[in-house]
Amino acid sequence: MLTRDHLAALDRRDPLARFRDQFVLPEGVVYLVGNSLGALPRTVPQRVEEALLDHWGQDLIRAWNRRGWIELPLAVGEKIGRLIGARPGEVAVADSTSVNLFKLLAAALELRPERRVIVSEADNFPSDLYMIQGLVDLLGGGCELRLAAPGGLAEALADDVAVVSLSHVNYRTAALHDLPAVTAAVHARGALVLWDLAHSAGTLEIDLGGCGADLAVGCGYKFLSGGPGAPAFLYVAQRLQDRARQPLTGWFGHAAPFDFDPVYRPASGIARHLCGTPPVLSLVALDAALDLVLAADLGEVRAKSERLGDLFLELVAQECPDSGFSLVSPREAALRGSQVSLAHAHGYAIMQALIARGVIGDFRAPDVLRFGLAPLYLRYVDLWQAVQALRQVMAEEEWRAPAHRRRGVVT
Ligand SMILES: *Cc1c(COP(=O)(O)O)cnc(C)c1O
């Protein structure tokens, strides 16, 4: 039987406990959506204000050189690279995850010109599938999408596959792919692999270099806490960089943007994967957030994440038996990302009732309640508060209130 005292004792021994105060969090709220919009690090407002008032305000256009704005996409990329096992010069920060996926898929098809199939999974993040569909349409028969059946990746890997595009952690179920094993299996069939690390970067150790991964993209605003709409990142293994070309050939990817040459020539290295002018203020926010994320030991982050997930599930079983929830995530922590998901026929209204009680999770159609577990600012006792709120919502049937059934645009 788990008690609040048991959880409070875990907080006292938590090696990551000191990180919570480094984030702005509203009083009384339990925030379980760090997997979708990471909380605000305390250092960010000051860094952004400095960039606004001192750099933009006073230096004006001179800030591009003086304040290193021009370096930010690759400098911030270096920091992300340390989280994902990249070497210097393998990561850039630019655009959105969706756009980066498009750029790198196109590059991958060109790297395997004799093959024309892109493999993905039907339950991949829809935007990833949409981007593949857009690329297939654009290339007018030049390539096709093959969706692997659940657990059927091996069968989908025929000799016609150019690239396999997978999310490391499934956004709905939190199921975690074995990144090294899948990478090896894809390579054994002569294809490239493109990992979407949107839900995993910053939550566990990833060694893209060590397992020979080819390409990756990921998100700046989820566990990395870069802020709403933070720019995304992309990774291209060094050995592919001379040959990897992407189709959005804007001036920031040119070898010499300020020569204003009318003919495009790609920059060498990762810089050719940039496109247009970088979003400086958002990059400054992400840069500041990464300093905080990098100060944590990823082994400790992962251990706490697994424990938070296990305890949450134990608490739900203990406090809300017979409430009609079914587990969507893998029960075994090693097979999950930093999230647990439960399904319920009244999932949307239940989540709204929870939010009304200050326990903020989110909902994914058709019936999934998602609880993101950000180990840097979530306390073990927060799980107690969250599950007590859930118990009350279910026991009192608070979710039946009409207000909780009205859908917002963002769920
Ligand atoms: C969040 C997420 C994205 C986000 O894409 P944007 O273009 O940045 O909106 C993409 N892929 C996956 C797997 C995600 O979880």
Side-chain angles (χ1 to χ4, degrees), residues 3 72 74 100 172 248 261:
T3 63
L72 279 171
L74 303 196
N100 287 337
R172 218 169 51 83
L248 303 186
D261 186 337

Side-chain angles (χ1 to χ4, degrees), residues 53 122 135 149 159 173 183 213 243 247 267 400:
L53 299 180
L135 184 61
D159 289 342
T173 67
T183 298
R243 291 176 296 134
R400 287 192 187 276

Side-chain angles (χ1 to χ4, degrees), residues 268-347:
S268 60
I270 197 73
R272 67 175 60 174
H273 298 281
L274 303 177
C275 181
T277 307
V280 170
L281 298 176
S282 294
L283 275 162
V284 167
L286 176 58
D287 189 42
L290 284 166
D291 289 339
L292 187 55
V293 173
L294 282 164
D297 178 275
L298 276 177
E300 287 175 0
V301 169
R302 176 60 174 164
K304 182 174 176 185
S305 155
E306 293 188 350
R307 196 166 205 180
L308 285 166
D310 282 345
L311 288 166
F312 184 85
L313 294 177
E314 279 173 52
L315 278 171
V316 171
Q318 173 182 306
E319 302 291 314
C320 314
D322 313 316
S323 292
F325 291 107
S326 58
L327 180 60
V328 175
S329 301
R331 182 64 190 83
E332 193 181 328
L335 303 179
R336 285 195 306 262
S338 209
Q339 167 191 323
V340 286
S341 303
L342 302 174
H344 195 288
H346 304 293

Side-chain angles (χ1 to χ4, degrees), residues 35 96-99 124-125 127-128 167 169 171 196 198-199 219 221-222 230 232:
N35 56 335
S96 65
T97 308
S98 304
V99 171
N124 197 356
F125 189 68
S127 190
D128 293 31
S167 293
V169 171
Y171 77 103
D196 188 332
H199 278 276
C219 195
Y221 53 78
K222 291 175 179 162

Side-chain angles (χ1 to χ4, degrees), residues 157-297:
L157 281 176
D159 289 342
D160 53 0
V161 177
V163 57
V164 177
S165 179
L166 298 172
S167 293
H168 190 193
V169 171
N170 184 283
Y171 77 103
R172 218 169 51 83
T173 67
L176 175 71
H177 271 298
D178 183 338
L179 190 148
V182 173
T183 298
V186 171
H187 285 172
R189 303 307 304 269
L192 297 165
V193 65
L194 195 174
W195 288 105
D196 188 332
L197 307 177
H199 278 276
S200 59
T203 69
L204 49 83
E205 282 165 306
I206 298 172
D207 188 4
L208 292 179
C211 64
D214 305 295
L215 306 162
V217 297
C219 195
Y221 53 78
K222 291 175 179 162
F223 289 106
L224 302 186
S225 272
F233 63 88
L234 58 82
Y235 161 92
V236 179
Q238 214 164 48
R239 65 178 184 285
L240 300 174
Q241 285 185 1
D242 286 348
R243 291 176 296 134
R245 301 190 326 156
Q246 59 93 4
L248 303 186
T249 47
W251 66 320
F252 271 71
H254 192 282
F258 287 88
D259 283 0
F260 293 99
D261 186 337
V263 178
Y264 183 80
R265 263 186 308 124
S268 60
I270 197 73
R272 67 175 60 174
H273 298 281
L274 303 177
C275 181
T277 307
V280 170
L281 298 176
S282 294
L283 275 162
V284 167
L286 176 58
D287 189 42
L290 284 166
D291 289 339
L292 187 55
V293 173
L294 282 164
D297 178 275

